[in-house]
Amino acid sequence: MSFELADLSENNREFDEDEHDNILRKADKILESEKLLNNGNNNSSGDDEIKENDERAQIFNLKSIAIPIFYFTLGFLLRFPSLPLRLYLRNTIGATPGQQAVVFAVVMGMPWNLKVFIGFFSDTVPIRGQRRKPYMFFGTILCTTSWLLFGLYPSEKAPIGIICLLLFFAVLGMIIADVMSDALVVERVKFEKKKGGIQSVVWMLRFFGGVCGYLISGWLMEYGNVHPKTIFFITGFVPLVTLLPSVYFLEDQRVLVKGTQKEESLEKLWILWDTLQSPYIWKPMVFIYIFASGPNAGDAFSNFLLGPLGFTESTYSYLLTIGMLSQMAGAFIYRKYLSDVNWHKLFCITLLVGSCLSATQLILVSRLNVKWGIPDIVFAFGDEIINDTVAFIIQMPTLVMCAALCPKGIEGVLYALMVCVNNIALSVGGAVSGALTDSLGITNTNFEKLFELVLIASLATLLPILFLPCVPKDAKECEEAAKELEAENNFDETLMQGRPRGSSDADRSNNNTNRKKKGQKSKWGGGLLVFLLVAGLIFSISDTAYKLSYKDDED
């Protein structure tokens, strides 16, 4: 009996062990199946994410088609009414040169200096959860309405005050849409695999729109005898039928804002100031400022072409058109062949080449081309093509750099600030060029010292090479810097409330530890950038006011 029980117990133990082994094998199979399933889901999720990012980087689909349409329209609006407006002010209104300068330099120039505030407002005050689309729609309507009212004004001679008001709002509307489009480009640049592609395309579209505007405007006035006010009406009609419908389909990611408007504004200001202190931001901006503020001989050389060399206005306009086409070519060459080149090498080589090519103007000034049997117009066109192509190849990395450095949440205001720094530096460079031209005694009739001016301007283009260490080596380094800035400040555009979460003492301590790894933030650096921005803005406005008062005294 005991033997039978022992045998049964042994059989049961063997059965339990066999059953246990079977259960383990089944469990292993289940785990393996789940693992394969999870891997498949992860791969599927990763593939979906890659596909989604590729779609976001596309600007020629229905959800983003407003972006390329806008840049073409922007180029068109900048060039199409420019010559008719100048002729209308001079011939129909009888505006003095001082009044014309007020219209072009102050009334139409001031909105460009408001880009920072427009960008800050759109980043801080979303409308129904959207930060770009509503403002772009409003800017388009404002621009369109202003030009249409100008063209439909009942009297042929509109009062100069009404003209200034309509032109101010027309340009302001265009600038609002421009800031929104720039921010949309910056948001999409983060998803493209090869940096610089989107920006090259939109700039080529902008230049192409400008060429179309130049040519169509000239043909309408020369061959169609179209009145300038009709040109103004057409200017307002173009964005109404091209840009406005495309804005309706624009995809603009919604953001959830928590907290009061005051808290949101203070948070954005804190984040912006904290970002400006980063060496990844203020150092490249100093380079861009130096790069753009150098003296040039552009105005004096243009007067030399129109004066002693006898270039007609139509010939000069064709020269400008060729220049825009050359800039298109420069954007294409960068996108096709140079986007992966180390920026330090690219800047160094192109600045050296650009300096040498700009010095070729000395051949025209000294009249050596005549001795060589090369006509002035042939040499001028060739010089324009080569110089403008190289000039925009130099410009492209700075545009890519500005877009890549912008962290999430403040793309609009930070990119607008960077562009504003560049524009103000150009104004400072123009003022320096004017002072240098006057000191050399160059006038509309005296070009004896033009050779020296061109030589100084050519050598000055080499100065930015000394500041190349301030520039990131490539777009990838810019992206890493932007991600570090986002991590430091704990950016999250869907949870904006109170102070940024990186502003607590504990977070600041952690942030300081992270900063030591790659770069210490500097209040002096951020302050230098703000000083250059504010001082340059005050200087450019003061210089414009002085020139206007000087012209009024002459009149």
Side-chain angles (χ1 to χ4, degrees):
M1 183 70 175
S2 61
F3 176 79
E4 291 178 356
L5 290 174
D7 187 56
L8 179 62
S9 176
E10 185 69 23
N11 291 336
N12 289 338
R13 185 163 56 249
E14 291 178 358
F15 174 79
D16 291 340
E17 289 178 355
D18 292 340
E19 185 178 11
H20 180 68
D21 292 339
N22 290 332
I23 292 173
L24 288 178
R25 283 193 293 269
K26 290 180 180 179
D28 290 339
K29 290 181 179 180
I30 292 173
L31 290 174
E32 186 176 355
S33 300
E34 289 180 352
K35 185 177 181 181
L36 291 174
L37 182 61
N38 289 333
N39 288 337
N41 290 336
N42 291 335
N43 291 335
S44 177
S45 177
D47 293 340
D48 292 340
E49 184 177 355
I50 293 173
K51 184 178 180 180
E52 184 179 354
N53 290 342
D54 290 340
E55 290 179 355
R56 290 181 180 179
Q58 297 297 323
I59 61 172
F60 288 101
N61 53 35
L62 187 61
K63 295 179 180 180
S64 301
I65 195 63
I67 297 174
I69 289 178
F70 169 77
Y71 281 99
F72 174 84
T73 305
L74 175 63
F76 187 87
L77 293 179
L78 288 173
R79 306 302 176 187
F80 183 70
S82 58
L83 180 59
L85 179 60
R86 189 174 294 277
L87 295 176
Y88 177 77
L89 291 174
R90 186 180 66 184
N91 300 334
T92 305
I93 303 299
T96 64
Q99 290 174 327
Q100 294 180 44
V102 169
V103 171
F104 287 103
V106 179
V107 175
M108 300 183 71
M110 185 57 66
W112 292 91
N113 295 325
L114 302 178
K115 296 186 75 170
V116 175
F117 305 101
I118 296 170
F120 179 79
F121 198 77
S122 70
D123 282 343
T124 308
V125 189
I127 300 175
R128 300 186 67 180
Q130 293 181 306
R131 298 183 299 169
R132 315 300 179 204
K133 184 175 180 177
Y135 289 100
M136 195 170 183
F137 185 86
F138 172 74
T140 304
I141 291 293
L142 182 62
C143 177
T144 293
T145 303
S146 301
W147 279 114
L148 290 176
L149 290 176
F150 192 5
L152 294 173
Y153 194 81
S155 175
E156 183 179 359
K157 291 185 178 181
I160 190 69
I162 297 295
I163 293 174
C164 290
L165 186 66
L166 291 175
L167 289 176
F168 177 82
F169 283 114
V171 177
L172 179 62
M174 182 181 68
I175 295 302
I176 292 173
D178 182 35
V179 174
M180 298 307 108
S181 297
D182 286 344
L184 289 168
V185 167
V186 172
E187 291 171 1
R188 282 155 175 77
V189 159
K190 297 182 182 299
F191 299 104
E192 65 175 344
K193 296 177 181 177
K194 191 175 182 180
K195 302 303 178 184
I198 294 178
Q199 289 170 284
S200 300
V201 169
V202 297
W203 274 94
M204 285 191 284
L205 288 169
R206 177 172 172 172
F207 289 136
F208 183 64
V211 171
C212 292
Y214 263 138
L215 296 178
I216 295 174
S217 175
W219 291 338
L220 287 176
M221 297 191 68
E222 185 172 355
Y223 301 110
N225 295 320
V226 177
H227 193 275
K229 289 188 66 176
T230 305
I231 299 289
F232 304 151
F233 180 83
I234 296 174
T235 303
F237 188 72
V238 168
L240 185 64
V241 299
T242 58
L243 183 58
L244 202 60
S246 63
V247 174
Y248 176 80
F249 298 102
L250 180 64
E251 182 182 54
D252 185 14
Q253 186 177 2
R254 293 183 181 273
V255 295
L256 179 63
V257 179
K258 293 186 178 181
T260 65
Q261 187 58 59
K262 181 180 179 181
E263 291 173 340
E264 174 74 3
S265 300
L266 291 175
E267 180 187 31
K268 290 289 186 180
L269 284 174
W270 189 94
I271 291 173
L272 181 61
W273 167 241
D274 191 62
T275 303
L276 293 180
Q277 297 177 54
S278 170
Y280 302 122
I281 300 296
W282 70 263
K283 284 185 178 181
M285 288 301 97
V286 169
F287 171 81
I288 290 176
Y289 196 94
I290 299 296
F291 175 75
S293 61
N296 64 82
D299 290 338
F301 190 74
S302 298
N303 288 327
F304 179 70
L305 296 177
L306 294 170
L309 297 191
F311 279 40
T312 64
E313 291 186 0
S314 60
T315 302
Y316 186 69
S317 65
Y318 284 125
L319 188 65
L320 295 178
T321 303
I322 291 294
M324 297 189 71
L325 291 173
S326 301
Q327 290 176 317
M328 283 181 60
F332 175 79
I333 291 172
Y334 177 84
R335 180 175 183 267
K336 188 72 174 177
Y337 304 106
L338 302 175
S339 58
D340 294 328
V341 177
N342 181 286
W343 284 351
H344 287 189
K345 294 180 181 178
L346 183 61
F347 273 122
C348 186
I349 294 173
T350 52
L351 286 171
L352 287 170
V353 173
S355 176
C356 295
L357 291 176
S358 63
T360 58
Q361 294 178 346
L362 297 173
I363 297 174
L364 200 62
V365 173
S366 61
R367 315 302 292 130
L368 285 176
N369 62 295
V370 177
K371 295 180 180 179
W372 297 341
I374 304 175
D376 291 337
I377 189 170
V378 173
F379 189 89
F381 271 80
D383 180 75
E384 186 76 14
I385 291 172
I386 297 174
N387 278 296
D388 283 8
T389 301
V390 174
F392 202 74
I393 290 176
I394 299 174
Q395 185 74 14
M396 273 305 304
T398 63
L399 298 171
V400 176
M401 178 171 59
C402 290
L405 284 171
C406 292
K408 290 182 180 179
I410 54 172
E411 300 98 331
V413 61
L414 186 57
Y415 189 81
L417 186 144
M418 291 176 173
V419 173
C420 194
V421 167
N422 182 75
N423 292 339
I424 289 175
L426 289 173
S427 299
V428 172
V432 172
S433 301
L436 184 60
T437 301
D438 292 338
S439 66
L440 292 174
I442 299 173
T443 64
N444 290 335
T445 56
N446 181 11
F447 298 95
E448 292 181 3
K449 295 293 184 69
L450 182 59
F451 187 96
E452 287 82 350
L453 178 63
V454 172
L455 183 60
I456 292 172
S458 298
L459 293 176
T461 57
L462 299 176
L463 181 62
I465 294 179
L466 301 177
F467 293 85
L468 280 179
C470 297
V471 180
K473 294 180 180 180
D474 50 33
K476 185 177 180 181
E477 186 174 335
C478 291
E479 282 187 306
E480 291 175 354
K483 289 178 180 178
E484 183 178 340
L485 291 171
E486 292 171 17
E488 287 178 0
N489 293 286
N490 197 12
F491 284 108
D492 186 356
E493 58 187 5
T494 62
L495 295 172
M496 294 293 187
Q497 56 180 342
R499 293 189 307 166
R501 286 173 300 269
S503 61
S504 67
D505 293 337
D507 288 338
R508 285 179 182 176
S509 178
N510 292 332
N511 288 345
N512 289 334
T513 302
N514 292 331
R515 288 171 192 165
K516 292 178 182 179
K517 294 179 181 179
K518 289 191 176 182
Q520 183 70 34
K521 289 189 176 181
S522 169
K523 291 183 178 180
W524 288 103
L528 174 63
L529 181 57
V530 173
F531 172 77
L532 290 176
L533 182 66
V534 175
L537 183 60
I538 294 174
F539 176 79
S540 61
I541 293 175
S542 303
D543 183 68
T544 301
Y546 170 76
K547 289 180 179 178
L548 293 178
S549 63
Y550 181 74
K551 287 187 176 182
D552 286 338
D553 292 340
E554 286 185 337
D555 296 336

